[in-house]
Amino acid sequence: MSQAAAALGLPRAAALLLEESGVGETEPPQSLQLRAAVLAGDWSAARAALAALFDASTAASSASAQPCRCNPRCSSRGSACTSRLRVALNAISLQSYLELLEASRTSEALVVLRKDIAPAYTSSMADHNYLHELSSLMMCLSQEDLHRKACWDGANGKSRSLLLAKIQKTLALETMMPENRLDALLDQALRYQAHQCLYHNIRNDEISLVHDHECDRSLFPTETVHVLELHTDEVWFVAFSPDSKYLASASKDMSVIIWDTEQNFRAVQVLHGHTAHISVVAWSPDSTCVISGSNDWSIKLWNVTTGACISTYSLHEDSITALAFLPPTAASLLGTPAACVGQATSATHFVSASLDKNVFLWRIEDGRVEHRWNGVHVIDFGVHGSRSTDANECNSGADGEFLGIGTHALKEKGGERRPSSAQDLGQIEDREIDAGEIRLVTISDRRIRVYDVVSKDEIKSLQEKDSMMSVRITEDGRYALVNVSGTQEIHLWDLQSNKIVRTYTGHKQGRFVIRSCFGGLSENFVLSGSEDSNVYVWNRDHEVLLEVLTGHKATVNSISWNRGRNMFA
């Protein structure tokens, strides 16, 4: 509270609070010196204060024979925490190097690179590549060029504050209090309230801590508001557009219908052209186009506004099982020529799977297949990647991993990321996918496979206990939701820890493909159809079955959530 008062410009109130509470100073002098030095860019003073803090922490842990207190995740004892000291010192050196380059003091920057940074990166080819990328920054022609290539906002931006946050992650909490600690604690309280609410479906900033939070069940869509009946045979797939305006439905009657949610679900397009049942559709990121896959072995690209078939792609030799557009970043990441970028849609590529054991990476404009993964029957897949249209955009996470060059370079053959010899804090493992990655998650019989679309490498392979029918990926790319037909279960896989973390049961599944989905503003719900004609809804975190909704008279095989309108089809 005293920290918050000081941050609000109330230093006397902060001092009085400490005095009357009897707490005294919450941080040692070295912590105050470190914070001041980092924010001022005094790197010699920052190194000295940091070393003093670690000396005190090491001495305390050695004397008591207790695990090192430099980080809650550290199980070492005594002086073993010097590895964390090196991490913090390397971060300071990197900031110093970039600021010297920004100030056009290239010769001094070169000394820092050779003397302070290079010795820590000598163990692998990834380290060599990282140093090469750092040295190439000396060729930047302007500050703007440096900021863009380093994914760094400069000495006058947030970089020093982010550096301080990174250093703080290597220190015990009692040694150095993180910035905005009260805000963080209040945010944790809000998240806890949201987590305890089974029907939570509002933004966290709408929650009040004055009383315990609980969303009313009536806010969740449980009543049928429209029944759409233009199809003349079974409907096999439904998908809302990314902008929430349209619903696409694919049918055994060989048509795709586009329904306008803003016009009382009026059918605005009926797309004909396939010569067999249509099994799957997918929307372009800008909601201007759909692609449809059929049992006639073909894929068609449609303009939603005009209803025209723009292109047909016919290289598969069996029924199409899955389709997905790649995010707009694919154009630059895959090196698409400018002449082939986005004439029909902002997307430039899509991926398709078929029972012919092929997964194709297509270029939309000319129908060229840029890559083929083959050998297994891929039943379904999900694609995840940055949706930014700027391939140079970087992630500035709260963990302090603010330098694009510090994350993009940590790749080795096979697509796996690993910390270098100087980065052993596990921070690479828990970050979100950045703008340099697009991942493809496939299911085939009892195996989940994850591919890096840019490198084309298989990243990992996970074993399931029975055959899977569908997969959906969370927006952050971390979790995969798979329907397991034999056990009549839905499993939530953590793709970072490589294990099942939630299981949902109650629905009926055996003979048919059933495509479940996430629902809610924060993907707090899991929704699934069932062979008993019902729709099942679970709370994602608590695995609690919330609703069993009736209405259909046959198997419900596809569900799509519309976040913008708080409804599902």
Side-chain angles (χ1 to χ4, degrees):
M1 291 179 68
S2 65
Q3 182 195 56
L8 291 172
L10 304 171
R12 288 186 296 177
L16 183 61
L17 182 60
L18 290 174
E19 179 184 346
E20 292 190 346
S21 66
V23 173
E25 290 295 334
T26 57
E27 296 178 310
Q30 299 95 326
S31 293
L32 301 176
Q33 294 167 7
L34 175 60
R35 177 178 287 106
V38 168
L39 296 179
D42 187 344
W43 307 122
S44 296
R47 291 187 181 93
L50 180 61
L53 279 172
F54 269 83
D55 287 344
S57 177
T58 302
S61 60
S62 298
S64 60
Q66 295 296 315
C68 173
R69 297 180 297 150
C70 67
N71 189 288
R73 289 178 291 178
C74 181
S75 60
S76 304
R77 295 178 180 272
S79 60
C81 72
T82 54
S83 62
R84 297 181 179 277
L85 174 60
R86 288 196 299 271
V87 172
L89 289 174
N90 288 340
I92 290 175
S93 297
L94 182 57
Q95 178 75 16
S96 173
Y97 172 71
L98 293 173
E99 290 196 12
L100 287 170
L101 290 180
E102 184 181 44
S104 300
R105 295 160 62 181
T106 307
S107 59
E108 296 174 64
L110 182 59
V111 172
V112 172
L113 179 63
R114 289 176 174 174
K115 180 181 176 181
D116 299 330
I117 299 177
Y121 295 89
T122 58
S123 64
S124 70
M125 181 58 68
D127 287 346
H128 174 78
N129 292 339
Y130 180 61
L131 290 176
H132 177 75
E133 195 165 358
L134 284 179
S135 62
S136 69
L137 296 178
M138 293 186 181
M139 306 302 293
C140 292
L141 301 178
S142 65
Q143 291 185 355
E144 291 74 17
D145 191 30
L146 173 66
H147 295 168
R148 180 179 59 83
K149 291 183 177 178
C151 207
W152 177 74
D153 64 359
N156 295 324
K158 297 180 180 179
S159 63
R160 291 180 181 177
S161 295
L162 290 171
L163 171 62
L164 188 61
K166 182 173 182 177
I167 293 172
Q168 287 169 336
K169 294 196 74 170
T170 71
L171 305 175
L173 293 179
E174 64 267 24
T175 302
M176 189 173 188
M177 185 180 297
E179 294 294 308
N180 304 314
R181 186 58 182 162
L182 181 59
D183 288 346
L185 293 173
L186 291 174
D187 182 65
Q188 290 174 17
L190 290 173
R191 291 175 182 272
Y192 175 78
Q193 292 283 344
H195 180 264
Q196 293 300 106
C197 176
L198 293 178
Y199 283 92
H200 184 68
N201 196 27
I202 64 173
R203 298 193 310 271
N204 284 357
D205 59 11
E206 297 180 29
I207 299 175
S208 171
L209 292 177
V210 174
H211 51 77
D212 289 342
H213 168 72
E214 184 177 9
C215 285
D216 194 296
R217 176 180 176 271
S218 64
L219 298 176
F220 187 86
T222 59
E223 300 295 330
T224 301
V225 293
H226 294 280
V227 179
L228 312 178
E229 297 181 303
L230 283 185
H231 283 294
T232 59
D233 210 326
E234 296 174 359
V235 180
W236 284 1
F237 199 99
V238 291
F240 279 107
S241 59
D243 65 4
S244 301
K245 183 177 179 180
Y246 298 108
L247 172 69
S249 59
S251 172
K252 188 178 177 181
D253 67 8
M254 299 183 290
S255 73
V256 175
I257 299 180
I258 307 299
W259 313 83
D260 191 332
T261 66
E262 296 179 347
Q263 299 184 43
N264 204 33
F265 282 86
R266 182 175 68 88
V268 292
Q269 299 292 347
V270 180
L271 310 177
H272 291 289
H274 285 290
T275 58
H277 317 321
I278 301 176
S279 52
V280 60
V281 294
W283 283 93
S284 63
D286 59 6
S287 302
T288 62
C289 296
V290 293
I291 44 175
S292 56
S294 171
N295 289 359
D296 65 9
W297 307 358
S298 74
I299 301 163
K300 292 183 180 294
L301 173 68
W302 308 87
N303 183 300
V304 171
T305 302
T306 65
C309 180
I310 301 169
S311 298
T312 298
Y313 309 88
S314 303
L315 291 183
H316 281 296
E317 297 179 350
D318 210 326
S319 298
I320 311 301
T321 58
L323 293 169
F325 283 92
L326 297 190
T329 52
S332 59
L333 295 174
L334 297 174
T336 301
C340 294
V341 174
Q343 294 184 19
T345 171
S346 65
T348 58
H349 296 77
F350 71 89
V351 184
S352 66
S354 167
L355 294 179
D356 65 7
K357 297 186 178 182
N358 288 313
V359 176
F360 289 148
L361 171 60
W362 300 84
R363 196 160 69 186
I364 291 174
E365 190 63 28
D366 56 8
R368 172 186 171 187
V369 172
E370 294 196 349
H371 188 73
R372 180 182 71 164
W373 296 272
N374 66 340
V376 294
H377 288 118
V378 172
I379 304 302
D380 196 13
F381 60 62
V383 170
H384 180 269
S386 169
R387 289 173 172 80
S388 167
T389 57
D390 181 2
N392 294 309
E393 180 179 327
C394 59
N395 291 323
S396 298
D399 62 357
E401 287 291 347
F402 57 92
L403 293 169
I405 54 174
T407 55
H408 294 182
L410 296 176
K411 280 190 177 179
E412 291 188 313
K413 188 175 181 179
E416 286 278 17
R417 289 179 175 267
R418 67 160 188 89
S420 71
S421 58
Q423 290 178 300
D424 56 355
L425 296 185
Q427 294 172 340
I428 301 301
E429 298 302 321
D430 59 6
R431 60 164 189 81
E432 294 183 357
I433 294 177
D434 59 47
E437 290 182 320
I438 301 173
R439 290 188 179 180
L440 174 69
V441 182
T442 70
I443 58 169
S444 51
D445 192 29
R446 302 185 180 188
R447 183 71 63 176
I448 301 172
R449 292 179 173 87
V450 183
Y451 299 90
D452 184 327
V453 175
V454 178
S455 69
K456 315 302 188 298
D457 294 325
E458 181 178 320
I459 298 174
K460 65 180 66 177
S461 178
L462 307 172
Q463 182 69 43
E464 254 292 0
K465 63 176 78 173
D466 214 319
S467 297
M468 296 170 285
M469 292 289 110
S470 70
V471 61
R472 290 294 178 270
I473 311 301
T474 53
E475 288 200 346
D476 62 8
R478 175 163 181 169
Y479 298 97
L481 187 73
V482 297
N483 281 66
V484 185
S485 60
T487 61
Q488 298 191 89
E489 296 176 341
I490 301 172
H491 294 163
L492 184 67
W493 279 84
D494 185 330
L495 298 179
Q496 289 184 1
S497 64
N498 302 328
K499 61 184 181 182
I500 298 171
V501 292
R502 298 288 189 275
T503 298
Y504 312 97
T505 60
H507 67 300
K508 307 300 180 184
Q509 181 174 7
R511 297 174 54 202
F512 302 111
V513 173
I514 293 178
R515 303 177 189 272
S516 305
C517 73
F518 296 101
L521 283 175
S522 303
E523 300 182 312
N524 293 334
F525 307 107
V526 170
L527 296 88
S528 179
S530 175
E531 291 183 14
D532 63 7
S533 308
N534 296 322
V535 173
Y536 287 73
V537 182
W538 296 267
N539 178 280
R540 173 178 152 184
D541 287 339
H542 295 280
E543 303 170 286
V544 175
L545 180 61
L546 301 176
E547 303 288 345
V548 180
L549 306 176
T550 61
H552 285 284
K553 298 178 182 179
T555 297
V556 182
N557 51 30
S558 180
I559 294 186
S560 179
W561 182 274
N562 187 321
R563 176 179 294 183
R565 299 185 179 278
N566 192 39
M567 62 173 62
F568 63 89

